[in-house]
Amino acid sequence: MKEANSKKALTFKTLTKNNVWDIQENDIFRMLDSAEKEGEIKDNMKHYASIIRSAFNVEELKDDSAILKSKYEKLGYKVGPIKVDDNTNIIWAIKKKPITRVTDLSYENIGHITAAKLIEVLDRNFGGGWDSLSQSIQDIIESAFDISTTTLPKDRLHKPGGMYEKKVADGYEVLEVSKGTWVEAIFAKVKPQAEKPRLRFANKPMSDEDMPDDDNYENDSEDFDDEIDEPSSFDDEDMNEDNYRTTFEIEQDPDEEASDMSDDI
């Protein structure tokens, strides 16, 4: 319901290269019609067109003949007239850009797809697993999704009570990438929208509500002390090519200990 209301309220005045991914072809023609009545198109058409083209394929047709219109409609386009001014009319064929490959992903559209859609896109492009993606694509995906991966032998990945089962139960979508007798599992879940922090100007005195009580202040101090860790005692020699890795911390199961993995390779 919230998404529907957002689309209904959207106009060219509030259209951006981010929220344009929330609307469909019919919405474009509706907003064009509304903008025409308000006299906005003539002076701002180039700006509107730039935003629309960031999410839609737009073709300007020479005419609106039935043959030409039918040709584009068969390709999934919506075709309609646009009145630029009193003396100029153009015909647009519009089609939402598909997101089918990882190279189609951008910071503007990544927040407008589901985890299931992301997995579908990754599945269509994968071969080498998560690390086969470029760093820029990984950054785009992780800006909107919680991503975690792990690599395990096939017969251990779906072990009852294991990480796979727990992740799926927690709402993650998962993609399995075969690597011989091992499988890399890539888990994806939409990140919750973070609330924007309220800023307090330095010269504004703190109110009673801003002041922490003594108990919370002491707890915060203890938490800060806990964050100052001693230097890690991890030894690089402990790592070798036989150890499996995971990008998130889990409660280790004896059968999934990295030290036992070498026996299975």
Side-chain angles (χ1 to χ4, degrees), residues 150-160 162-164 176-185 187 242-246 250 252-265:
T150 189
T151 304
L152 291 169
K154 288 182 178 180
D155 59 346
R156 295 187 181 181
L157 183 62
H158 294 275
K159 182 180 179 181
M163 68 183 73
Y164 187 104
E176 298 179 30
V177 182
S178 179
K179 295 185 174 182
T181 60
W182 289 54
V183 175
E184 179 179 2
F187 303 94
D242 295 327
N243 290 337
Y244 80 97
R245 63 169 178 75
T246 180
I250 60 170
Q252 288 287 0
D253 184 285
D255 291 334
E256 296 173 353
E257 290 284 352
S259 59
D260 295 338
M261 291 301 174
S262 59
D263 297 331
D264 296 299
I265 303 177

Side-chain angles (χ1 to χ4, degrees), residues 47-200:
H47 171 68
Y48 295 151
S50 175
I51 294 176
I52 293 170
R53 290 178 187 277
S54 69
F56 293 82
N57 292 318
V58 179
E59 298 289 342
E60 186 173 331
L61 308 186
K62 295 181 179 180
D63 60 69
D64 59 349
S65 65
I67 295 178
L68 190 59
K69 182 178 180 181
S70 176
K71 173 185 176 182
Y72 277 90
E73 287 179 342
K74 287 180 179 179
L75 295 174
Y77 285 79
K78 296 289 184 181
V79 182
I82 300 172
K83 187 176 181 180
V84 178
D85 55 43
D86 293 337
N87 301 315
T88 307
N89 288 312
I90 59 176
I91 307 299
W92 265 11
I94 307 175
K95 181 182 179 181
K96 191 77 168 281
K97 288 182 178 180
I99 302 176
T100 57
R101 305 180 301 272
V102 292
T103 51
D104 295 327
L105 298 174
S106 67
Y107 284 108
E108 288 76 23
N109 64 31
I110 191 64
H112 302 279
I113 64 174
T114 63
K117 176 63 177 179
L118 174 63
I119 291 298
E120 176 187 323
V121 172
L122 295 178
D123 188 27
R124 189 177 293 114
N125 290 271
F126 262 178
W130 177 253
D131 288 338
S132 69
L133 296 174
S134 67
Q135 186 61 54
S136 61
I137 295 297
Q138 289 184 16
D139 291 343
I140 290 172
I141 293 173
E142 291 181 321
S143 69
F145 292 88
D146 282 323
I147 300 293
S148 47
T149 70
T150 189
T151 304
L152 291 169
K154 288 182 178 180
D155 59 346
R156 295 187 181 181
L157 183 62
H158 294 275
K159 182 180 179 181
M163 68 183 73
Y164 187 104
E165 186 177 283
K166 292 177 181 178
K167 281 288 183 181
V168 172
D170 194 28
Y172 282 80
E173 296 288 339
V174 59
L175 173 65
E176 298 179 30
V177 182
S178 179
K179 295 185 174 182
T181 60
W182 289 54
V183 175
E184 179 179 2
I186 298 99
F187 303 94
K189 184 179 180 181
V190 175
K191 286 183 177 179
Q193 292 185 349
E195 293 185 5
K196 294 182 179 180
R198 291 186 301 174
L199 298 180
R200 183 173 59 83

